[in-house]
Amino acid sequence: MKKKRVFIIGLLSIMTILFLSGCSQPEEEKIYETLEAVVQLEKGFEKQQEPLVQLEEEEKAIYEKILNLGLKEIEEIQKLSDDAIALSEQRQGLIDLERESIVKAEKEFEKIKEKMNNIDEEGLKKLASELYVVMKDRYESHAKLYEQYSLGIKQDQELYHMLKDENVSLEELKDKVDKINKVYEEVYSLNERFNDLTQQYNDLKIKFYKESGLN
């Protein structure tokens, strides 16, 4: 009857650039400005991480209390289930804000596509292209992660409503928990993918800055 919980996701690195060297080309500078603007836009995403994890922990604690009560103490279970539903709704609100921040950042990031095509040096153009592909994969990964995590919340809420029903069977509850765990296993897998792509992007960005002469 245990439910799985894992949702800690990767963040973009923040680069502090003191100046642009004279050898930098205008397009590289423009790309730099866009990439750093993306970091700032994703700060809204970053702000949701700690409160989201906190809500998960609170909800988990309530669920464990419900398990320890047993099905006979239905009034207390119903109260705790309502509390858990309220927390899950807050989680959805935070993940929606996170998604909104990511979508804004993705729109800003798209601005580099035209700029990178104007880079003269072929090595830098190729590097910028690699960076672009990785970031687009990262944003696609987050879209899937958001969808799956939202599904997990919906499944959690269905479980809490089932727990409020004094006629629910243990078998029905077990089946629902099994489904929830499968959803969160996929969340974990998508989360790992997102973290990996975030790291790849951060590494490529630093390399692009260095090879562009951005100090």
Side-chain angles (χ1 to χ4, degrees):
M1 293 288 287
K2 292 292 183 181
K3 293 194 301 175
K4 296 184 179 180
R5 277 286 184 279
V6 180
F7 196 65
I8 301 174
I9 53 187
L11 305 172
L12 296 185
S13 64
I14 298 176
M15 300 290 295
T16 302
I17 307 298
L18 299 179
F19 60 90
L20 303 176
S21 68
C23 64
S24 296
Q25 297 298 315
E27 294 305 320
E28 285 89 317
E29 293 179 18
K30 292 175 184 177
I31 289 174
Y32 153 74
E33 291 171 356
T34 298
L35 297 184
E36 293 308 299
V38 167
V39 173
Q40 295 304 313
L41 287 170
E42 286 204 16
K43 281 188 175 181
F45 155 69
E46 181 179 352
K47 288 178 181 177
Q48 313 311 321
Q49 298 306 297
E50 186 174 342
L52 185 58
V53 172
Q54 180 63 36
L55 287 173
E56 285 188 351
E57 290 301 319
E58 291 177 23
E59 192 178 320
K60 178 182 177 183
I62 289 175
Y63 179 71
E64 290 177 349
K65 283 184 181 179
I66 292 173
L67 291 183
N68 290 331
L69 283 173
L71 293 178
K72 292 183 179 180
E73 300 181 63
I74 187 63
E75 289 187 7
E76 182 64 16
I77 287 174
Q78 289 174 341
K79 178 182 178 302
L80 289 171
S81 295
D82 285 337
D83 291 342
I85 290 170
L87 289 172
S88 70
E89 289 172 347
Q90 290 180 56
R91 281 199 291 133
Q92 186 65 58
L94 289 179
I95 200 70
D96 288 344
L97 288 174
E98 176 181 293
R99 182 63 191 152
E100 182 181 327
S101 175
I102 289 291
V103 169
K104 288 179 180 177
E106 183 176 9
K107 288 181 180 178
E108 179 68 21
F109 180 77
E110 276 296 327
K111 294 178 181 178
I112 81 161
K113 189 171 185 179
E114 182 178 351
K115 296 169 186 175
M116 71 185 191
N117 290 331
N118 294 328
I119 296 175
D120 294 326
E121 206 276 301
E122 286 301 319
L124 280 180
K125 183 181 288 188
K126 181 179 179 182
L127 184 55
S129 179
E130 290 177 20
L131 185 148
Y132 178 83
V133 169
V134 169
M135 192 59 145
K136 291 298 290 182
D137 286 347
R138 176 177 178 269
Y139 285 133
E140 182 180 342
S141 177
H142 187 272
K144 293 177 181 178
L145 183 55
Y146 168 78
E147 182 179 346
Q148 191 71 8
Y149 190 73
S150 295
L151 176 60
I153 291 174
K154 181 181 177 181
Q155 294 284 341
D156 285 337
Q157 291 173 345
E158 289 178 1
L159 173 63
Y160 299 136
H161 282 294
M162 289 173 68
L163 287 166
K164 292 172 65 177
D165 181 2
E166 57 186 323
N167 295 317
V168 71
S169 69
L170 284 173
E171 188 62 30
E172 288 174 320
L173 291 172
K174 183 180 181 301
D175 287 345
K176 174 56 73 174
V177 170
D178 287 344
K179 289 179 181 178
I180 290 172
N181 284 337
K182 288 180 181 179
V183 170
Y184 281 107
E185 283 173 4
E186 181 64 17
V187 167
Y188 180 83
S189 177
L190 289 168
N191 187 67
E192 289 289 292
R193 172 68 174 162
F194 182 77
N195 283 337
D196 180 59
L197 289 168
T198 300
Q199 186 60 55
Q200 288 182 46
Y201 169 79
N202 285 333
D203 292 344
L204 284 168
K205 186 174 77 166
I206 292 171
K207 185 177 180 181
F208 178 79
Y209 285 177
K210 288 180 177 179
E211 295 193 11
S212 297
L214 298 168
N215 300 294

